[in-house]
Structure formats: structure tokens, C-alpha cells
Amino acid sequence: AAAAAKADGSTLALVQCPRLKLSFEARRTDEGIVRLYSLDHADIFVTNSGRFASTEKLLGGIPHALLLEHGSTGELQVLVPAFFPVRPSIGNYPFSTELVLDRDQKWLDEIDNPYYVYKIHVSLSFLSASTLASALYLLLLRFLHRDYEMVVSLVDTVSSDTPMSKEEKAILSHLHSNRHDIDHHPDAHACRLKISFVMLDAPVQMPWLLTHEMSGYVAKLGQVSANCRLSAEEELALLNRCVVDAADPQFEKQKLSVHLVLLCKNRRS
């Protein structure tokens, strides 16, 4: 940060974020309030005036979020650096939602944008993503925060039937990365299955085995939240893609067990 005193006695401050390729300049408004205005986005400034209980809920699980406001319209936006989020395994806190933001160079090489901007709906009830990559990143953060119902509400925003970019593939694969503890919660199985369903026609390899996820879902069905449960149509479409016979060549290739296969077979029948 650099600062310089002006002749009128006010202080002009410049905050630079080189990794994000962003700069903010302090300007005094007509009301005498000093605000940090973006030099890269017109009439956008850092704000705390929009921090209501509803917006704080939206920012849950996004510890690196920066709340912005449009000067003329009052529209609220959230700027989120595209850092590599890792949820480490904590032995005495098995359902932790703590994130470590890693500036992983390999990750940064695959990400086209150093940050994503999400508009906050006027109702202050949800964030809007403008691209598939930003929608996937938001879904990833919600999933790592174990906000399963929110993940389900975002699933349709990542629906695709076209090839994914390198950036989109990197974010999708991190949903099941060994860099953080794999989530075996009943609702986590449901979330991964719902993501698989909306991408059934996409030419992309999911980072998890469908038969594993479906057998986990079926075995824990009694503990799956009502809002996360699959519809009959979703279940059947996914079960038709699962391995349901030990004679299937994928049985050995995927190193499945007879128990897992039978769970899917019985559910389908």
C-alpha cells in the first residue's frame, strides 16, 4: 500500500493486490466518507454497509470474500480470489469446515481468472455466478463448508453438455481431491450424485466412481436430508450407469465389491 498527503490535508491511499491484478484507491465522498474504490471496475467500492444477517449467511464458508457495492445503483457484489481451497483433515474435529487457502502454482496455472465476482440478488438470498467456472467454484466452496442444501440449490447452475475448459475441469476435480478429507456424509453422496446427473450428457470424467457414490447413498438413505434426496427419475438415470453385475468388466477395473454392486442392483430393481 502506498499513501500520499494532498494539499487539503486528506490522505490518498492506494491498495494494490498484485496476485489479483486489482488496485483500490481511497476517495473522500461529498459526505466526507473515505471509501476504497476499485481502479479496475467503475464506481465499485469496498463496503461494510451491506453486512446484514442475510449477507453474512451468504458469505459463510467464503473466508476470503470481499464485499463490494456499486456507487450509483447500490448493488452488492462479492469478490472472491480464486485461491486453492483445502479442507484439511482434523482428527479431533471430524466434520470441520475450516479452509486453508493455498497459493498452489499448478492450480493457478490452470485457472484463467485470479478472482470471481458474484452479484448478490436484491432479495439478499443468493449469489449469482456469471460463468460456469465461477459457478463451479462457488459450488466447491459450499461443498467444502458442508452446506449440502446450498450445494443442491446450485447444482442446476453447473449443468453442462459441452466439453469443459481446463479451468472448469480443475475446479470439478477438486470436489473429490485427496488434498482434503473425503466427505462420506449421507448428504455428500447425494450432492455428488446430483452433480453427476446434471452432467450425464457432458463429455467429462467425474472425479468419483458413480457406483461407489450410489451404493453409499443407498446404504445411508435413511439419513439423507429431504432437500438433498434424489428424485425417482434421477435415481433411475444414474443407476442405469452403475455397475450392477459382478460380470461387468468395470467390476474388476473399478475394484468394486459384490456388496456395493448388489446395493445398486437391488435399488434399481
Side-chain angles (χ1 to χ4, degrees):
K6 296 183 68 176
D8 62 0
S10 63
T11 299
L12 176 68
L14 178 66
V15 178
Q16 295 179 316
C17 307
R19 289 191 180 92
L20 302 182
K21 301 177 183 177
L22 287 173
S23 297
F24 294 88
E25 179 185 59
R27 302 175 192 167
R28 191 179 297 274
T29 66
D30 295 337
E31 295 79 18
I33 301 172
V34 177
R35 291 172 173 161
L36 280 176
Y37 277 84
S38 171
L39 296 179
D40 306 277
H41 302 276
D43 206 21
I44 297 289
F45 60 89
V46 179
T47 183
N48 280 321
S49 60
R51 288 188 176 273
F52 309 107
S54 50
T55 51
E56 289 296 332
K57 182 179 179 181
L58 290 178
L59 298 178
I62 316 178
H64 52 316
L66 185 64
L67 189 61
L68 305 175
E69 183 177 339
H70 194 284
S72 56
T73 66
E75 180 185 61
L76 294 174
Q77 301 178 2
V78 180
L79 186 147
V80 183
F83 292 144
F84 188 72
V86 178
R87 185 184 62 204
S89 178
I90 304 176
N92 60 353
Y93 191 10
F95 291 101
S96 168
T97 58
E98 296 296 324
L99 292 185
V100 174
L101 300 172
D102 189 0
R103 297 185 180 90
D104 185 274
Q105 191 56 50
K106 182 181 178 182
W107 167 270
L108 295 175
D109 290 341
E110 294 175 330
I111 298 299
D112 295 331
N113 304 293
Y115 61 87
Y116 301 113
V117 177
Y118 303 94
K119 292 183 179 180
I120 298 181
H121 189 263
V122 65
S123 64
L124 305 182
S125 58
F126 63 90
L127 303 178
S128 296
S130 57
T131 65
L132 178 57
S134 61
L136 282 166
Y137 190 75
L138 179 59
L139 184 143
L140 170 63
L141 292 173
R142 298 303 192 201
F143 187 77
L144 294 179
H145 193 56
R146 304 184 195 273
D147 195 345
Y148 306 116
E149 289 188 18
M150 187 69 76
V151 171
V152 170
S153 71
L154 291 172
V155 161
D156 286 338
T157 67
V158 301
S159 176
S160 176
D161 58 2
T162 59
M164 286 188 165
S165 67
K166 182 172 67 171
E167 177 181 22
E168 293 159 357
K169 287 180 181 178
I171 300 172
L172 178 64
S173 65
H174 194 50
L175 277 165
H176 206 61
S177 170
N178 57 13
R179 290 288 301 273
H180 50 255
D181 65 318
I182 302 300
D183 198 339
H184 297 289
H185 190 282
D187 289 347
H189 291 299
C191 288
R192 287 191 283 264
L193 289 173
K194 281 186 172 288
I195 295 169
S196 297
F197 178 76
V198 299
M199 293 189 178
L200 277 180
D201 297 324
V204 60
Q205 180 68 41
M206 302 306 292
W208 48 77
L209 294 176
L210 187 57
T211 305
H212 269 287
E213 294 304 323
M214 181 56 77
S215 60
Y217 173 81
V218 172
K220 305 170 187 175
L221 187 57
Q223 288 76 46
V224 177
S225 302
N227 291 335
C228 296
R229 289 200 175 195
L230 277 66
S231 67
E233 176 191 1
E234 291 170 336
E235 269 197 52
L236 186 58
L238 292 170
L239 282 166
N240 286 334
R241 304 287 184 100
C242 291
V243 177
V244 294
D245 192 330
D248 190 314
Q250 292 298 318
F251 179 81
E252 292 293 340
K253 186 176 181 181
Q254 297 183 14
K255 298 181 180 179
L256 301 172
S257 68
V258 174
H259 176 66
L260 298 183
V261 169
L262 287 178
L263 280 171
C264 295
K265 182 178 181 178
N266 292 339
R267 184 66 178 176
R268 192 178 71 170
S269 61

